[in-house]
Amino acid sequence: MPRFLALVVLCCLLAPLRAQENAAPFDGELQRFAEILGTLHYLRGICGSNEGGKWRNEMQALLDAETPSGDRRTRMIAGFNRGYNGFQQTYRTCTPAATLAIRRYIDEGLKISRDLTARYAN
């Protein structure tokens, strides 16, 4: 998933453009992206991907790149936890539906990453 790293790079480019305490125009998309990372962290784990903490590490890289503080940081972390916990309550084992959800969330994450890069990296 190297394209997910494009979002991290984007965040590094955008961080100097705004004060850390202010909401960025793309915060909603970053929160959704964080939720997707949480979802993937849980679902890929139960589906035997053997990725360990890959998706949690991606979330940490996003936080490190974006360096949100206060409410922004809280909202991003809450998004990750919401994605993880929401699917933890639904799936206990890997099912065809879980595998389909993984594909759909990867696609959505890639779309968010591409859209944010196209919109804000110029």
Side-chain angles (χ1 to χ4, degrees):
M1 295 295 125
R3 290 185 245 175
F4 279 103
L5 295 178
L7 184 60
V8 174
V9 171
L10 172 67
C11 292
C12 288
L13 296 171
L14 296 174
L17 298 177
R18 59 184 166 65
Q20 287 183 355
E21 295 298 321
N22 295 332
F26 49 83
D27 274 357
E29 289 136 317
L30 285 183
Q31 288 171 30
R32 178 64 182 152
F33 190 74
E35 188 172 344
I36 290 168
L37 292 175
T39 298
L40 291 172
H41 181 62
Y42 180 75
L43 289 176
R44 295 287 291 177
I46 66 167
C47 286
S49 67
N50 296 322
E51 293 172 332
K54 175 182 178 168
W55 300 103
R56 184 186 306 262
N57 294 340
E58 292 286 345
M59 179 64 189
Q60 186 60 55
L62 178 60
L63 290 170
D64 291 346
E66 184 61 20
T67 63
S69 60
D71 288 341
R72 287 188 74 230
R73 181 179 181 84
T74 300
R75 285 190 301 271
M76 288 178 72
I77 292 170
F80 181 90
N81 291 335
R82 186 173 42 255
Y84 185 93
N85 294 330
F87 280 87
Q88 185 181 39
Q89 293 173 7
T90 306
Y91 295 99
R92 299 288 182 207
T93 61
C94 189
T95 65
T99 302
L100 178 61
I102 289 169
R103 285 196 305 269
R104 288 183 177 169
Y105 279 101
I106 287 174
D107 289 346
E108 184 181 353
L110 290 171
K111 182 183 182 318
I112 290 170
S113 178
R114 282 191 304 265
D115 290 350
L116 286 173
T117 301
R119 219 175 319 152
Y120 295 104
N122 294 331

